[in-house]
Amino acid sequence: MDGADRRIPDWEAVLAAIGPEFGDFLLAHRDPTRFATFAATPAVETLARRPRALPEEGTGLSEPLREVRRLVLDEGYANGAHPQYFGYFHPRPLPAAVLGDAIAALLNQSPAAWRMGPAATALECEALAWVADFVGYPPAAPGALPGVFTSGGSAANLAGLKLARDVVLGRATQETGVAGSAVRPTFYASTESHYSIARALDILGVGRAALRLVPAGPHGAVPAAAVRDQVLRDIAAGHTPACVIGLAGATATGAVDPLDALADLAAEHGMWFHVDGAAGAPFAALPETRAAFAGLARADSVTVDPHKWFFVPYGLGCLLTRDSAEAARSFRGGAHYWRIEDQIDMVFMGPEGARPWKSLGLWLALRQLGRQGYAELLLGNLAVARHLAELVRRRDGFELFAEPTVPICCFRLLPPGEGHGDAEVDAFNEDAQRTLVEGGEFYVTTCRPGERTYLRVAVSNFASRPGHVEALLDRLDDIRRR
Ligand SMILES: *Cc1c(COP(=O)(O)O)cnc(C)c1O
C-alpha cells in the first residue's frame, strides 16, 4: 500500500488497533447497570450547539473512539439496555440484530433495488412476510410484496396515508395535487394518535385541519361510536370521509382502539382503514393479548415498528399493505439512467430511496428465536408490566390508569394527606418523575391522557424482570413520602 491507501486500514488492522476501546462498548451491553439510566452533561449540550472545527489532519481511530466512549457512556447516554430503563421505546437490541447491522454495513448491500443487493432484497422480502405472519396480517398474493420496510413508524404512517389519499381521492391527485381535487377529504384518529399522523397529512398536502381527532375514552381507547358520529356530521357538512386510523397500542398508554368496529365503519363508508401498530402490533401474536387486536387483519395498511418490540436497533419500521399494486402506483418512479426490468425494486414501494439493509438483523433474530422465542420475550415484558399494575393496585397512595394490554403501565402517585387539587397532584407527579430520573437508577416518563399527569412505564427491555419494577415502586414510595 502506498499514499492514501495507507490511511484506510484493512479490517484486521482496525480491530487490532481498537480492540480495547471496542471492548468497552461490548461491556456496556453486557453489564449496562454500570452506567446511569440516562445522562446528558452540559458539555454534550454545548457540543450539539457549537460543533468544533473539522480536523485537517487525521488522528487515527483510538483517540476518537475513546472520546465516543466517554461522551456516550459517561456523558450523554440514553441507556435502554439498563433493565430499569422504562422510558420511550428504546429496546435493548438483540445481539443477532446488532450483528446483522454490522454485516449489512460491511457488505454495504441495499434492499432498495435489486441491483444494489439481490440477496438483500430476497431476504428483506422474506422478513416482510414473516412480520406480516407474526402479527396475523394476511399474506400477499403469490409474487406480490406484503409491504415495505421504512426507517421507522413515522415514515410507515406517511406511506400508509399516502395510499389512502391516492386511492380515495383518485390517482389524478398524484398529478394535480390535492388542490386540484373537488373532494374535501377527512381523516379520523384518536386524540391519543401519534403526532406523525397529523404531520403526514401536512406533508401530503391534505392539511392538518382534515384530521378529526376524536377524544379517547377513560382507558385510552377511542369509542367507535364517537368516530361514527363525527363521520356522519362530516358527511352532512359536505366532506368526504377518506380514512380511519386505528391505534394498535397508543404510544402513551398502550391502549388498543376497537379495530374491528373501526374496520366496519371504514367498510360502510368506503374509507381506507389504516392501523398504526408501531407500538403494539407484535402483541397481536400472543394468545394472551390477541383478542384485543381483532380487526387488525382487516386493515388496508398497517404500520409495524420493529425497532420497538422486535428488539432491533433503531432504523427499522414497516408498512404492511393488502394490495401491493396500489403501493406500486402511489410510489412509482424511474430514471433515464435506470433500466427498469422485471426485478423487485423496493424503492418503488415506499417514500424512501437507498436504504440501509436494516432488516437483516430482524431476519437473523427471527431465525435465531423463531416465533416461539419472540413470543416468550414479549410475554416476559408483558408479565413485568402486569406485575407492576398489580402492585400499583394493591399499594396505598398509588392509582392505576388502566390494566396494561401491551407492556405499558401508567399510574400516578397521590400526595400524602387530604384535599389536594388536580393541578397539585399533577405537579407532584412531574416532580417525582424528575427526582427519580435524576437518581440515575431508573428512567420513566410522564404523559397526560385525559389532561391529567401519569407516570408512564414502558417495558421493552428483554432483560427487565419483576424485581426491577418492585424496586421502582419502592423508590417512588420513598419519593412520595419524603
Ligand atoms: C413510535 C410510534 C410512531 C413513530 O415511529 P418512529 O419509529 O418513531 O418514527 C408512530 N405511531 C406510534 C403509535 C408510535 O408509538
Side-chain angles (χ1 to χ4, degrees):
M1 283 201 287
D2 62 332
D5 282 355
R6 211 178 303 125
R7 296 162 191 246
I8 307 171
D10 60 24
W11 269 106
E12 265 104 289
V14 168
L15 287 174
I18 63 156
E21 288 81 5
F22 195 65
D24 265 2
F25 292 111
L26 292 179
L27 196 60
H29 195 80
R30 196 179 315 138
D31 185 10
T33 58
R34 292 176 13 148
F35 304 94
T37 44
F38 188 84
T41 62
V44 170
E45 206 175 321
T46 303
L47 189 60
R49 297 182 195 284
R50 311 181 71 176
R52 296 165 291 183
L54 167 71
E56 296 297 336
E57 296 288 335
T59 56
L61 264 178
S62 292
E63 202 277 320
L65 276 169
R66 275 198 297 278
E67 187 173 331
V68 172
R69 186 230 172 272
R70 177 176 56 78
L71 282 173
V72 178
L73 297 181
D74 296 333
E75 299 203 39
Y77 194 29
N79 186 1
H82 196 300
Q84 291 176 170
Y85 180 98
F86 303 115
Y88 298 111
F89 306 103
H90 198 117
R92 175 181 183 138
L94 292 163
V98 176
L99 192 65
D101 276 8
I103 294 169
L106 182 67
L107 304 181
N108 200 27
Q109 299 294 289
S110 175
W114 186 261
R115 71 191 57 195
M116 296 161 87
T121 300
L123 294 184
E124 177 142 307
C125 291
E126 194 163 58
L128 262 174
W130 290 350
V131 168
D133 184 353
F134 191 79
V135 305
Y137 195 68
L145 291 168
V148 68
F149 281 113
T150 60
S151 58
S154 301
N157 278 337
L158 175 64
L161 297 183
K162 168 83 162 79
L163 299 182
R165 190 199 78 168
D166 296 347
V167 169
V168 177
L169 296 196
R171 293 275 154 211
T173 313
Q174 289 184 260
E175 304 303 325
T176 62
V178 182
S181 166
V183 173
R184 289 193 296 153
T186 41
F187 290 63
Y188 301 83
S190 150
T191 44
E192 288 296 320
S193 65
H194 191 264
Y195 62 83
S196 60
I197 297 291
R199 191 165 66 185
L201 295 179
D202 178 345
I203 296 170
L204 292 173
V206 171
R208 291 175 187 248
L211 180 60
R212 305 295 195 244
L213 288 178
V214 179
H219 299 303
V222 79
V227 182
R228 178 183 303 274
D229 289 348
Q230 183 66 50
V231 167
L232 296 179
R233 275 199 298 278
D234 286 329
I235 292 173
H239 293 282
T240 300
C243 176
V244 179
I245 297 138
L247 264 174
T251 311
T253 65
V256 179
D257 286 342
L259 303 178
D260 226 9
L262 295 179
D264 289 341
L265 181 64
E268 261 170 56
H269 296 281
M271 288 187 274
W272 188 268
F273 181 38
H274 176 72
V275 168
D276 183 357
F283 290 88
L286 301 184
E288 291 77 4
T289 43
R290 186 174 296 148
F293 295 85
L296 181 145
R298 297 171 64 194
D300 295 295
S301 54
V302 181
T303 289
V304 186
D305 219 3
H307 65 202
K308 290 177 177 170
W309 265 303
F310 277 98
F311 312 103
V312 305
Y314 280 131
L316 192 65
C318 168
L319 184 78
L320 302 174
T321 49
R322 186 176 298 283
D323 188 346
S324 62
E326 300 286 17
R329 281 193 280 275
S330 272
F331 294 105
R332 68 174 187 262
H336 64 82
Y337 49 81
W338 188 326
R339 201 172 68 238
I340 308 288
E341 286 158 356
D342 191 26
Q343 286 141 346
I344 296 173
D345 292 326
M346 289 282 186
V347 73
F348 302 129
M349 284 292 292
E352 296 177 79
R355 270 186 301 112
W357 184 17
K358 296 289 301 186
S359 65
L360 175 58
L362 177 64
W363 186 91
L364 283 173
L366 284 165
R367 282 286 298 265
Q368 184 190 22
L369 299 174
R371 192 196 305 272
Q372 291 309 327
Y374 253 108
E376 275 166 34
L377 294 184
L378 295 171
L379 205 52
N381 281 185
L382 188 65
V384 173
R386 288 187 169 169
H387 182 62
L388 176 60
E390 185 58 34
L391 294 174
V392 165
R393 220 182 296 103
R394 288 208 308 251
R395 203 179 275 226
D396 287 340
F398 287 75
E399 193 176 86
L400 187 66
F401 174 75
E403 186 60 33
T405 306
V406 304
I408 299 175
C409 179
C410 296
F411 60 92
R412 64 183 165 196
L413 313 183
L414 303 175
E418 301 284 307
H420 302 285
D422 287 358
E424 203 185 332
V425 176
D426 287 355
F428 187 78
N429 281 275
E430 298 284 350
D431 286 347
Q433 186 263 353
R434 236 172 268 130
T435 307
L436 180 79
V437 167
E438 275 163 15
E441 279 180 68
F442 297 92
Y443 195 91
V444 309
T445 56
T446 59
C447 60
R448 288 176 57 78
E451 310 283 304
R452 295 300 311 277
T453 300
Y454 288 84
L455 302 178
R456 172 187 178 278
V457 174
V459 186
S460 59
N461 184 338
F462 55 82
S464 299
R465 297 284 174 271
H468 295 121
V469 290
E470 288 166 11
L472 168 70
L473 223 54
D474 288 344
R475 185 75 229 289
L476 284 170
D477 220 1
D478 288 345
I479 293 173
R480 193 182 81 85
R481 291 166 196 279
R482 119 219 91 151

